[in-house]
Amino acid sequence: MDISFIIIELALMIFLIIAAGLPQKRADNRWRLIYAAPTFLALTLAVFGGFEVYHVGIYVAAALQIACLFLSVNEVRKKQILAVISAVMIVANLAFVTFSKDIHRVPYLADFEKGYETMKEHYVLTEEKGIDWDALYAKYEPMFREIDKTQDHVENYKAWQQFTGEFYDGHVGYRGKSDALMLDDFCKAYGNDYGLSLVRLSTGEFAAVNVEGYENSYSIMSDEHDSMGFFMVKDDFRPADAEANRLTLKNAGIKNGTIITKWNGKPIDEYFSEVNYYMSQYPVRENEEFYLPIYVAGIGKDMRYGETVVPGEDAADSKSGDGSDSVAVDGTGSVAVDITYLDENGEEKTISAPSLGVYSPRMFDTMCKIDDGVNITNLEWQEKTEDTYMIRISQMIYDQETYEGTDYTEMTDDLREKILALKEAGVKNIVFDLRKNGGGSPFFVEGIACLFAPKGEHISYYSAVINEETGTFERGEDGKYKMGVPMTYEGEDLWHDGNVILLVNAETVSAGDDMTYMMGDYPNVKVMGFTSTNSSCQAVTEIPLEAGGLSFSAVPNMFPDGEVAIDTFTDHVGRTPFDEKIPMDQEAINAIFDRGEDYLMDYAVDSF
């Protein structure tokens, strides 16, 4: 907006220089109005976009043209001189805006101070999560102070990911204001791509997955697996020799499911303590441990977690950390990792795998393959077998109008009709696909849960009592929040003789947690997945910052016994029902990463 505003004002001045003599040829007092145009534009932008002190020169240049309203038709020369003076002032202001470092500085430290102070006052799980605000400030204020000096937006992203991760709360998160910068942050924050991701098997071993060169794996050569649009930028981060090296692992015999015993000569779990931030939040410790190996796969030889070498950039500038470590790179910006694995004869071998670019696209694709639900419309049904149907619920939203209210009667009526029709047709089993459910309205959840709940009244949550003067929620002498009004619903028990599976994962968050909590304890409902749900339940608010926005839990929900609902406490143990942890084994790897199958859905359907 800054540059476009300046260019428009400059164009107006050039026009006024040319148009100064027009009233002599076509006499009309309305010509005078064109001299008010620069001021009108400046005032409009100042009112709707905010007054910008760095545009003072342009405001003065625009106001100078008001003098031309009082000049006669014959004073052409004076009008042109004033327009030239204004144009020069605008050009000078443009140069100032372009080259002044102070104008373009982002207040990273001020953002942290604002976010910290707001959360300290209004975050509702301080006691439950054991948050030590003074310790957090002492740890992160120096980090953001240094970032404020260096103006490094990638380090700002990493620092916020670390800070928000301290809360073990899926509702605490940071997002940058610029999508382009966020993509750059993501590309440079998770290390380099060595051609594979890692998972921990249920046996405790670690296996290669999403290996470069295999048909259903992510490939650096195509864009079909790039859900976040990495294909637009990933080539910018690719070493010159990446294409020649892309089959290094496949040629060595490493495939999806190959057991990896060491990473740069160390057991993989020895790296876990180095992974200090994630792409998502994992409040449940067991879920966190499930995803940790995926992050380890981006750590290069003699590099720390998050250090990312980008070809064409100086090594010290393109990696994470304090810059004290040097990373040896060749002319293409290549780095490598030593991977020790078991060959087909069960013998250990080690191969040096070169970087194929940045790791984040493969990492993200691996998580999508593991976490994504069925890719169909929200609330759409699918027949899986003659007696089993599934319904996809990717978010707890029916339509925008309903989402802003509490009445989900239309949705409930539609579902009731469908459920009764399935029952009449002899269908006995329903799978609710809640994987990667981003949440939404708790009233949506009640609108579904009521159809399956045992008959009678059910209480989902109690609200908390708010102090209107302070804007905070009151706790009693026992340290628990004072309980307000309960949310209730009436059960209809329409599926009394049938079976239900809730298919969940760590990306089943917020209202997804609500649905798992509400329905998970019904007698005919089973909850299963590779991991339990996210365990984050409180209502959320977001505060705008100069460089982004910070969200956090701001309104507590309570169980009938007065405990805060669902969220993990200091033990980081999940508190939603979870009946069966589906094993991550060779069968799962082959189905997901070799054959491209929805292994979890098939497992759930077969389990009936």
Side-chain angles (χ1 to χ4, degrees):
M1 179 62 76
D2 289 354
I3 298 301
S4 59
F5 168 50
I6 294 172
I7 290 174
I8 292 172
E9 287 284 4
L10 182 59
L12 281 173
M13 298 310 163
I14 294 173
F15 171 74
L16 292 178
I17 294 172
I18 299 171
L22 291 179
Q24 287 183 320
K25 299 177 181 179
R26 298 181 181 180
D28 193 325
N29 279 331
R30 285 177 294 183
W31 280 108
R32 296 176 181 271
L33 295 178
I34 64 175
Y35 294 100
T39 302
F40 176 79
L41 175 63
L43 286 174
T44 300
L45 288 179
V47 169
F48 292 101
F51 176 82
E52 177 54 71
V53 66
Y54 297 114
H55 288 161
V56 168
I58 302 175
Y59 298 146
V60 174
L64 189 60
Q65 295 307 302
I66 296 296
C68 296
L69 292 172
F70 305 100
L71 295 178
S72 68
V73 172
N74 298 322
E75 294 180 285
V76 175
R77 190 67 175 170
K78 291 182 180 179
K79 295 176 183 178
Q80 289 177 329
I81 291 173
L82 286 173
V84 169
I85 292 173
S86 292
V88 170
M89 293 175 67
I90 291 171
V91 170
N93 202 117
L94 175 60
F96 176 71
V97 169
T98 301
F99 297 108
S100 174
K101 293 182 179 180
D102 289 337
I103 293 177
H104 300 289
R105 288 187 63 83
V106 180
Y108 292 122
L109 179 59
D111 271 5
F112 168 71
E113 296 280 4
K114 178 181 178 180
Y116 170 84
E117 291 296 337
T118 305
M119 282 193 69
K120 183 178 180 180
E121 183 175 0
H122 294 290
Y123 182 64
V124 295
L125 299 176
T126 293
E127 302 299 325
E128 288 74 16
K129 300 282 188 179
I131 304 301
D132 185 336
W133 291 102
D134 292 338
L136 284 179
Y137 188 83
K139 179 179 179 179
Y140 287 99
E141 192 275 345
M143 292 173 61
F144 282 98
R145 182 174 294 279
E146 180 62 24
I147 292 165
D148 199 61
K149 293 178 183 177
T150 62
Q151 291 289 292
D152 189 330
H153 65 86
V154 178
E155 291 302 315
N156 180 64
Y157 167 80
K158 294 176 183 177
W160 276 115
Q161 293 303 103
Q162 290 179 62
F163 176 78
T164 55
E166 299 274 5
F167 295 84
Y168 282 85
D169 183 341
H171 281 150
V172 178
Y174 174 82
R175 177 168 178 82
K177 187 177 293 185
S178 165
D179 288 341
L181 286 183
M182 279 295 290
L183 189 57
D184 194 55
D185 293 339
F186 196 65
C187 284
K188 294 178 179 178
Y190 293 98
N192 289 94
D193 179 14
Y194 303 104
L196 80 169
S197 288
L198 296 168
V199 296
R200 176 161 41 192
L201 302 179
S202 299
T203 59
E205 299 171 295
F206 297 93
V209 295
N210 220 3
V211 180
E212 180 72 32
Y214 291 92
E215 182 179 357
N216 285 299
S217 292
Y218 168 85
S219 172
I220 64 168
M221 304 305 296
S222 70
D223 57 29
E224 61 181 292
H225 294 293
D226 290 310
S227 304
M228 284 186 67
F230 285 109
F231 63 88
M232 295 186 295
V233 298
K234 67 178 184 178
D235 290 351
D236 297 338
F237 300 107
R238 186 185 301 166
D241 56 0
E243 185 173 353
N245 292 329
R246 63 180 294 264
L247 297 181
T248 299
L249 301 182
K250 186 175 183 180
N251 291 337
I254 297 177
K255 55 188 178 182
N256 294 318
T258 295
I259 300 301
I260 308 299
T261 58
K262 292 185 179 66
W263 196 261
N264 287 320
K266 291 170 54 177
I268 290 166
D269 54 7
E270 288 189 12
Y271 285 95
F272 289 175
S273 61
E274 298 180 22
V275 180
N276 54 5
Y277 60 87
Y278 307 105
M279 179 184 67
S280 301
Q281 301 290 358
Y282 306 116
V284 179
R285 182 84 73 191
E286 190 172 347
N287 294 355
E288 180 181 19
E289 291 172 350
F290 177 85
Y291 291 94
L292 268 167
I294 300 177
Y295 290 93
V296 170
I299 302 175
K301 188 174 184 178
D302 299 323
M303 296 175 70
R304 292 173 297 169
Y305 174 68
E307 293 176 354
T308 307
V309 172
V310 178
E313 291 188 5
D314 179 75
D317 293 334
S318 60
K319 70 184 187 69
S320 166
D322 58 13
S324 60
D325 295 339
S326 61
V327 180
V329 298
D330 61 24
T332 63
S334 295
V335 290
V337 68
D338 291 337
I339 302 174
T340 304
Y341 64 102
L342 299 183
D343 67 9
E344 291 185 353
N345 298 318
E347 297 180 359
E348 273 196 341
K349 290 186 177 179
T350 299
I351 185 173
S352 179
S355 168
L356 305 179
V358 292
Y359 177 52
S360 49
R362 188 180 306 278
M363 178 185 76
F364 183 74
D365 185 74
T366 298
M367 292 179 177
C368 287
K369 284 180 165 65
I370 292 173
D371 290 337
D372 280 357
V374 178
N375 187 23
I376 57 176
T377 305
N378 194 38
L379 287 174
E380 183 176 342
W381 293 84
Q382 266 190 5
E383 181 181 2
K384 304 308 293 184
T385 67
E386 189 175 298
D387 59 0
T388 302
Y389 270 68
M390 63 79 61
I391 178 172
R392 174 66 172 141
I393 305 183
S394 56
Q395 53 185 342
M396 304 306 187
I397 298 173
Y398 184 61
D399 56 42
Q400 192 57 43
E401 181 179 354
T402 305
Y403 182 69
E404 295 173 356
T406 61
D407 185 4
Y408 281 80
T409 304
E410 181 181 346
M411 179 194 72
T412 301
D413 291 344
D414 288 344
L415 288 174
R416 183 186 296 107
E417 183 178 339
K418 177 66 176 180
I419 290 165
L420 291 175
L422 291 176
K423 189 175 181 179
E424 182 69 21
V427 175
K428 297 180 174 60
N429 310 308
I430 295 177
V431 179
F432 283 90
D433 187 1
L434 301 181
R435 291 172 294 175
K436 214 168 190 177
N437 182 294
S441 170
F443 300 104
F444 174 107
V445 176
E446 289 183 356
I448 295 177
C450 67
L451 300 174
F452 296 86
K455 288 185 179 295
E457 184 180 73
H458 298 262
I459 296 175
S460 52
Y461 305 120
Y462 279 82
S463 65
V465 176
I466 189 171
N467 185 317
E468 297 291 347
E469 293 183 3
T470 63
T472 58
F473 294 90
E474 296 184 349
R475 292 182 185 262
E477 294 182 358
D478 59 359
K480 296 180 180 180
Y481 284 108
K482 294 181 179 179
M483 298 173 70
V485 180
M487 291 175 57
T488 63
Y489 61 95
E490 288 288 330
E492 299 183 27
D493 204 14
L494 297 184
W495 206 250
H496 178 80
D497 297 320
N499 305 302
V500 174
I501 284 178
L502 305 183
L503 196 55
V504 304
N505 57 31
E507 298 297 323
T508 305
V509 64
S510 194
D513 283 307
D514 292 346
M515 186 165 178
T516 307
Y517 158 66
M518 289 185 197
M519 294 184 62
D521 284 332
Y522 298 165
N524 59 341
V525 174
K526 188 175 185 180
V527 183
M528 63 171 57
F530 279 143
T531 66
S532 64
T533 66
N534 190 273
S535 281
S536 301
C537 171
Q538 316 316 306
V540 188
T541 191
E542 182 171 343
I543 56 172
L545 305 173
E546 287 298 316
L550 180 66
S551 61
F552 61 91
S553 299
V555 181
N557 296 311
M558 276 90 66
F559 287 144
D561 64 1
E563 290 285 359
V564 166
I566 291 179
D567 275 77
T568 60
F569 295 158
T570 54
D571 57 7
H572 302 190
V573 173
R575 298 170 66 219
T576 56
F578 190 54
D579 300 302
E580 182 175 349
K581 186 172 185 177
I582 298 174
M584 174 62 79
D585 53 21
Q586 292 289 344
E587 183 181 355
I589 289 174
N590 295 148
I592 295 170
F593 293 98
D594 285 330
R595 301 193 296 273
E597 297 172 357
D598 190 345
Y599 176 76
L600 291 178
M601 178 58 68
D602 293 342
Y603 186 101
V605 171
D606 290 345
S607 72
F608 285 120

